[in-house]
């Protein structure tokens, strides 16, 4: 793992675990076990660090959409990736949550929203390619978004519904003639 990746990992961890106020350059350098000069070599400013995180999110989102397209079923891949247990300890989910933490701030809000919109469009396009209907693609996307939000907030008191059961329930809608 490169020092640059360690810095981004540390920044993500601080954002997710302690929030944006705790993610100072000094704290990020310490958590990444690099000198502040080493951090500044890769990210010369806090804005560059934010941009680096959002670029990582963009790349991971594009890779996820490509995996959806390459799978046997983009719909099943989308729902499985959205449902608990999330693969949120690292990778796309963790980067997504970290970016959500900075999306509310003034400095990065517009850039973060643009990246969220871009990766959302990629996921939607993968679903649309499979389903051929924008309404059905959006329905599946919203079901996945709901699963993800429920998993993030722990709000699913009734317990998660297995993805195979969700796919079976959606089958009459998804299998309709185009």
């Amino acid at each position: 793992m490169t020092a640059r990746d360690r810095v981004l990992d540390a920044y993500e961890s601080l954002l997710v675990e302690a929030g944006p106020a705790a993610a100072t350059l000094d704290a990020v350098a310490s958590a990444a076990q690099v000198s502040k000069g080493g951090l500044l070599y890769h990210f010369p400013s806090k804005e560059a660090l934010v941009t680096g995180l959002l670029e990582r999110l963009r790349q991971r989102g594009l890779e996820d959409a490509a995996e959806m397209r390459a799978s046997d079923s983009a719909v099943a891949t989308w729902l499985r990736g959205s449902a608990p247990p999330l693969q949120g300890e690292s990778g796309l989910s963790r980067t997504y949550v970290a970016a959500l933490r900075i999306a509310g701030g003034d400095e990065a809000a517009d850039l973060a929203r643009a990246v969220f919109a871009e990766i959302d469009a990629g996921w939607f396009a993968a679903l649309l390619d499979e389903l051929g209907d924008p309404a059905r693609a959006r329905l599946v996307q919203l079901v996945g978004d709901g699963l993800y939000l429920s998993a993030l907030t722990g709000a699913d008191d009734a317990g998660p519904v297995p993805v195979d059961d969700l796919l079976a329930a959606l089958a009459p809608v998804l299998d309709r003639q185009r």
Side-chain angles (χ1 to χ4, degrees), residues 10 62-63 75 85 108 124 128 175:
L62 292 171
E63 290 168 2
V75 170
F124 177 78
L128 182 59
D175 292 338

Side-chain angles (χ1 to χ4, degrees), residues 9 14 18 26 38 42 45 50 52 67 73 96 105 107 109 120 125 131 133 151 155 159 164 167:
D9 287 349
L14 286 166
D26 288 328
H42 295 287
S45 66
V50 167
E67 287 176 24
S73 169
Y96 195 93
E107 332 168 341
D120 188 69
L131 297 171
D133 175 37
D164 288 338
L167 289 167

Side-chain angles (χ1 to χ4, degrees), residues 4-41:
R4 185 180 195 285
D5 287 330
R6 283 199 329 269
V7 167
L8 286 173
D9 287 349
Y11 185 45
E12 280 182 15
S13 292
L14 286 166
L15 287 170
V16 169
E17 295 163 12
T24 64
L25 292 178
D26 288 328
V28 172
S30 177
Q33 298 180 339
V34 300
S35 67
K36 189 168 181 184
L39 180 148
L40 293 172
Y41 173 80

Side-chain angles (χ1 to χ4, degrees), residues 64-82 122-131 140-141 167 174:
D64 193 58
E67 287 176 24
M68 289 171 63
R69 289 175 186 275
S71 71
D72 290 339
S73 169
V75 170
T77 301
W78 171 252
L79 294 180
R80 288 187 202 297
S82 300
W123 291 324
F124 177 78
L127 293 168
L128 182 59
D129 284 352
E130 180 171 312
L131 297 171
V140 169
Q141 191 172 29
L167 289 167
L174 301 180

